[in-house]
Amino acid sequence: MVTIAALDVDGTLLPGTLGWPLPEMLVNRGWCKPDSWQRLRDFLACVGPTGLEQATAAARAWELFADMVKGVPVAAVQACARHIWSQAHGHVFTFVPPLIAAIRGAGLEPMLVSAGPQELGGCAAAQLGIERYAGTVLEEADGVFTGGFSGVPTLGKPVVVASAAGGHEVDWARSLALGNSVLDADLLDLVGIPVAFEPTTALRARARVSGWPIADRGTVLALVHQLLATAT
């Protein structure tokens, strides 16, 4: 059995959404057709950032992106992901390294779990020294993407976290989750140590009803220390 600390990435470990530059970068580098990017962009503009908190909208956005990269070499997306992370890693919140150290010190295993691309999650995990990570996976065959995908938008974070545990049963009652979106709510509801970090309006309302602690970048480290100490 494994006790984990599931950490969201976008808006939680760093501001904004890490994967936003990826579609346009792929178009600019000649890997994707501009009209496929336009369809995705039109959909995102229609639903807005808060609309993507709905699982159906998030899944539709991923359908459009998966179709956009169909036939694109996996190596091309990986190269773009590495470039994006090279620009973004300096924006990781300063509390993150000591937070990970505190998590490990309490006997929990940190895990990155995100609705974003697995390729970007892998870059973030490597930089932060985290072995387990789970993102949305674009299906591939013979080194190119096939147009399919799986992960958080279709399965939900609890299922993805359980899968990323590598066959070990998760001790949910002693585990921690940190997230900022309603897409994190099912996971926060499942663990014994939930923390809503700078939550969106919808998650803040859910946190108040559920009694989950709410933190921001200035208070989260002290709060997690306190919660871990209490749990221990």
Side-chain angles (χ1 to χ4, degrees), residues 28 34 110 172:
N28 290 340
W172 295 110

Side-chain angles (χ1 to χ4, degrees), residues 8 19 33 64 66 81 86 115 124 132 134 137 173 184 218:
D8 180 45
K33 295 179 180 179
L64 290 167
S86 73
R132 297 191 190 276
V137 178
D184 301 305

Side-chain angles (χ1 to χ4, degrees), residues 21 30 37 44 47 49 65 67-68 72 85 104 109 113 115 120 122 139 159 162 175 200 221 230:
W37 166 221
L44 294 174
V47 300
F65 181 67
D67 182 67
M68 180 178 169
V72 174
W85 180 250
R104 287 200 170 105
E109 182 175 358
V113 54
L120 281 166
E139 295 174 2
V159 174
S175 291
T200 62
L221 188 57
T230 302

Side-chain angles (χ1 to χ4, degrees), residues 10 15 61-62 88 101 117 128 148 151 214:
D10 296 331
W62 267 101
L128 297 171
I214 296 174

Side-chain angles (χ1 to χ4, degrees), residues 76-96:
V77 174
Q78 290 173 336
C80 289
R82 288 193 296 270
H83 179 78
I84 290 168
W85 180 250
S86 73
Q87 302 297 309
H89 73 82
H91 300 290
V92 171
F93 292 130
T94 56
F95 70 77
V96 173

